[in-house]
Amino acid sequence: MGVWWIVVVAILAHTASAAVREYHWEVEYKFGFPDCKEGMVMAVNGQFPGPTIHALAGDTIVVHLTNKLATEGLVIHWHGIRQLGSPWADGAAGVTQCAITPGETFTYKFTPGTHFYHGHYGMQRSAGLYGSLIIDAAKGKREPLRYDGEFNLLLSDWWHESVLSQELGLSAKPMRWIGEAQSILINGRGQFNCSLAAQFSNATAQFSNTSLPMCKFKKGDQCAPQRLHVEPNKTYRIRLASTTGLASLNFAVQGHKLVVVEADGNYITPFTTSDVDIYSGESYSVLLTTDQDPSQNYWISVGVRGRKPKTAPALTVLHYVTAPSSQPPPPPETPRWNDFDRSKNFSKKIFSAMGSPPPPRKFRKRLILLNTQNMIDGETKWALNNVSLVVPATPYLGSVKYKLRRGFDRKPPPPTFPMDYDIMNPPRNRNTTKGNGIYVFPFNVTVDVILQNANGLDANASEIHPWHLHGHDFWVLGYGEGKFRPGIDEKTYNLKNPPLRNTVPLYPYGWTALRFVTDNPGVWFFHCHIEPHLHMGMGVVFAEGLNRIGKVPDEALGCGLTKQFLMNRNNP
């Protein structure tokens, strides 16, 4: 069994009051009842979701992480953390490190904000390996937001089928699709075989062939919802993060407006909304003021968007402490799942906060990445520019650090696709190829990435894909309909106040334009954050500043070709 010793350091100036926060974690499977039905969950110290790391910038966090999984490797990705100077600590198996082996020592450098951590080996995130990671401003540093209390809500989806069975089905010929989740969870709690709102006939009717009974909980039930207890006329910060494997979600609090103030750990220009669309890999902070009737309670609803919903919304209650513990009126309805204009309008309201760094005016390198669904020898795959990614046995970081030519294909994937490709219909050529080549960039150049969506294998089928970049924040320059037009669509870019994000949606039959600077030497994953899509090849790898990569702990690279290389080097 492997053991990691992990050291986490916040990046802002170290202060005299900075603390050392030490944790001892063990990861193992346990039986649990996340949605009132027993199943196996991946737990940290018996907790599901895992413990919340809550610290101040400047603190040092030490995590002793023990792998107690009987038959699986383990990595943890610190989602949204740039890992400046420590690319081996990113936690992406096959890209920046091997699965956990004994004695590994890492230093993580965090920027303040709302983030989370999760497994990044196979589909362990869908098995429950995730938790929240919140770094606030250091003592003495002024927090720009003013509020009276805060809540942390981690949103996820849950299947009754094991992730190992799901992985097997995705690789089967023909593919056995995982289907829609059985439940949506709020902080690891949901209800599958009962309803909190059973007395309202429309609450679950569209999601179930039968009427579900009212939930009746006993003390200590793991699936009982956690109510949010609030006082009247106060302002609360609600930190939201989505670690879903598949679902796009919509978050709403009945009768209350939400002021969105933070996205992916970066402050934004505040705007008011009735609800928040949140995609897998995204995080937000919203401010809620308890200015409604203090004698009433109100539903918090989390429903599915972007896919035809077959999963009932997750519910819990915003409980005014001045109100009795009675049920609220009928819960709010989630906006129509395929109202993509509504979703796009929400995304287009997000602008960087005043004083945020603007993007460079021009790019030096550009990739235009076509997202397609294809086939390889009877297997269903996802591909970028007709290449479906297969991560090699030797981590890319080790191959480029030690110049191991056989670690991966040195020919990069295509930088663009044929401009006559018909994105509105199923591909004429249904076949694709596997590959493990990477895109290599010089240090400190500006790169544009145009994500181009297209029709899948079936007619009239184009999905939302939330794309996540490791090691970087990027500027979201804009969204567009149809096929990207080089030389024309650049004129629509927002170069004044585009938001800095690490995850962004690509909408059906459209494009999304990103810009980032290659200022972080290392090798970084860029992939769809939907678990089965990544498993089916929907990702690429960026490498930058390779001659500037510093020392990499040997323990991070004890597999594949690097294992033999390090043995030979250490035993001349």
Side-chain angles (χ1 to χ4, degrees):
M1 292 184 181
V3 180
W4 268 357
W5 288 271
I6 303 176
V7 182
V8 181
V9 183
I11 185 174
L12 295 190
H14 199 79
T15 64
S17 60
V20 175
R21 304 174 188 271
E22 189 166 4
Y23 304 88
H24 294 263
W25 285 2
E26 294 182 346
V27 175
E28 60 186 330
Y29 284 107
K30 60 172 276 189
F31 288 110
F33 294 83
D35 66 351
C36 303
K37 180 178 173 65
E38 187 179 51
M40 281 187 2
V41 300
M42 195 172 281
V44 180
N45 290 355
Q47 291 182 234
F48 164 73
T52 296
I53 294 179
H54 206 143
L56 302 179
D59 287 352
T60 298
I61 302 170
V62 180
V63 180
H64 305 283
L65 175 62
T66 303
N67 177 7
K68 296 189 72 175
L69 304 175
T71 60
E72 297 177 53
L74 176 71
V75 297
I76 287 183
H77 170 55
W78 309 92
H79 187 107
I81 307 307
R82 293 200 58 198
Q83 303 297 357
L84 287 162
S86 55
W88 59 88
D90 184 55
V95 178
T96 57
Q97 65 183 96
C98 306
I100 293 178
T101 55
E104 297 176 352
T105 303
F106 300 116
T107 301
Y108 293 89
K109 297 186 178 181
F110 290 179
T111 54
T114 302
H115 302 294
F116 61 100
Y117 61 86
H118 60 80
H120 213 298
Y121 185 72
M123 291 171 60
Q124 289 179 345
R125 174 159 51 94
S126 288
L129 183 53
Y130 48 77
S132 295
L133 192 161
I134 299 169
I135 310 294
D136 288 321
K139 290 182 179 178
K141 298 285 185 178
R142 186 172 179 269
E143 163 63 63
L145 304 177
R146 290 288 174 263
Y147 48 90
D148 302 298
E150 71 174 60
F151 299 98
N152 180 41
L153 301 183
L154 196 57
L155 312 177
S156 55
D157 41 13
W158 184 253
W159 284 261
H160 296 160
E161 181 183 13
S162 76
V163 294
L164 296 178
S165 177
Q166 291 181 38
E167 290 174 356
L168 179 63
L170 292 171
S171 301
K173 303 178 184 180
M175 177 188 68
R176 298 185 185 182
W177 178 239
I178 65 173
E180 303 304 310
Q182 274 68 63
S183 302
I184 304 299
L185 309 182
I186 302 175
N187 287 346
R189 295 165 179 254
Q191 298 79 40
F192 168 69
N193 50 14
C194 65
S195 172
L196 300 178
Q199 71 271 40
F200 306 113
S201 59
N202 67 333
T204 60
Q206 60 178 311
F207 309 104
S208 175
N209 293 327
T210 59
S211 297
L212 294 176
M214 176 68 81
C215 293
K216 297 180 180 179
F217 302 109
K218 304 185 298 296
K219 184 177 181 180
D221 277 355
Q222 297 171 12
C223 60
Q226 296 173 331
R227 290 186 164 207
L228 275 60
H229 303 287
V230 296
E231 298 179 7
N233 301 311
K234 300 286 187 181
T235 297
Y236 293 87
R237 180 180 188 170
I238 302 177
R239 298 179 186 263
L240 302 170
S242 174
T243 183
T244 56
L246 178 62
S248 304
L249 299 175
N250 179 270
F251 173 86
V253 181
Q254 188 174 46
H256 292 73
K257 293 294 186 181
L258 306 171
V259 181
V260 187
V261 293
E262 179 199 30
D264 292 354
N266 295 294
Y267 293 118
I268 62 172
T269 300
F271 68 94
T272 302
T273 181
S274 59
D275 53 86
V276 173
D277 279 343
I278 182 168
Y279 302 97
S280 179
E282 290 188 324
S283 61
Y284 290 98
S285 283
V286 299
L287 298 181
L288 176 146
T289 300
T290 50
D291 54 5
Q292 299 302 299
D293 183 350
S295 67
Q296 299 292 320
N297 293 312
Y298 302 87
W299 290 110
I300 296 172
S301 176
V302 181
V304 174
R305 294 269 281 141
R307 305 182 64 84
K308 190 172 183 179
K310 298 179 181 178
T311 311
L315 295 172
T316 188
V317 172
L318 184 76
H319 173 229
Y320 278 62
V321 296
T322 49
S325 295
S326 58
Q327 291 284 62
E333 289 191 19
T334 301
R336 184 165 49 87
W337 71 273
N338 57 355
D339 186 352
F340 296 117
D341 287 340
R342 194 180 197 280
S343 303
K344 294 169 190 174
N345 288 336
F346 178 84
S347 293
K348 292 175 181 178
K349 291 178 182 177
I350 303 172
F351 301 103
S352 62
M354 186 177 299
S356 300
R361 302 294 298 180
K362 296 182 179 181
F363 65 87
R364 180 172 163 187
K365 302 283 186 180
R366 180 164 70 184
L367 301 176
I368 305 179
L369 301 178
L370 175 68
N371 296 225
T372 57
Q373 191 180 38
N374 302 86
M375 303 293 294
I376 299 179
D377 298 328
E379 292 186 34
T380 305
K381 295 291 183 182
W382 287 96
L384 283 304
N385 293 352
N386 209 39
V387 178
S388 185
L389 180 66
V390 179
V391 175
T394 302
Y396 289 110
L397 185 63
S399 293
V400 300
K401 172 68 176 176
Y402 298 120
K403 299 180 174 58
L404 304 177
R405 303 290 302 178
R406 296 184 296 111
F408 62 92
D409 184 357
R410 294 297 170 139
K411 181 182 177 181
T416 187
F417 64 95
M419 285 296 118
D420 62 352
Y421 186 93
D422 181 5
I423 68 166
M424 304 303 294
N425 290 293
R428 289 193 296 269
N429 175 18
R430 295 169 60 88
N431 297 317
T432 188
T433 57
K434 295 180 181 178
N436 60 24
I438 65 177
Y439 296 103
V440 180
F441 301 112
F443 178 69
N444 211 31
V445 302
T446 301
V447 176
D448 277 11
V449 179
I450 313 300
L451 292 165
Q452 176 66 64
N453 213 340
N455 202 98
L457 287 169
D458 297 329
N460 303 313
S462 185
E463 302 182 33
I464 291 177
H465 299 288
W467 276 83
H468 172 58
L469 178 58
H470 293 217
H472 290 277
D473 284 338
F474 49 72
W475 291 276
V476 182
L477 301 184
Y479 306 87
E481 306 296 326
K483 192 185 300 181
F484 181 78
R485 299 166 298 173
I488 299 175
D489 286 324
E490 295 93 337
K491 297 174 184 177
T492 68
Y493 286 177
N494 172 18
L495 298 177
K496 179 183 177 182
N497 56 355
L500 274 169
R501 306 294 303 267
N502 61 60
T503 305
V504 68
L506 173 62
Y507 289 108
Y509 301 111
W511 55 264
T512 300
L514 321 175
R515 180 167 291 176
F516 72 99
V517 177
T518 59
D519 57 1
N520 193 3
V523 185
W524 307 108
F525 226 156
F526 182 46
H527 61 87
C528 178
H529 210 258
I530 292 175
E531 282 272 67
H533 290 184
L534 175 58
H535 185 78
M536 298 161 71
M538 199 170 197
V540 295
V541 176
F542 299 153
E544 61 196 69
L546 299 184
N547 61 338
R548 294 171 177 258
I549 296 174
K551 180 177 172 54
V552 178
D554 289 355
E555 293 83 1
L557 301 173
C559 62
L561 298 177
T562 44
K563 178 180 180 180
Q564 189 61 47
F565 171 85
L566 294 172
M567 288 175 62
N568 294 339
R569 187 191 67 176
N570 296 332
N571 298 285

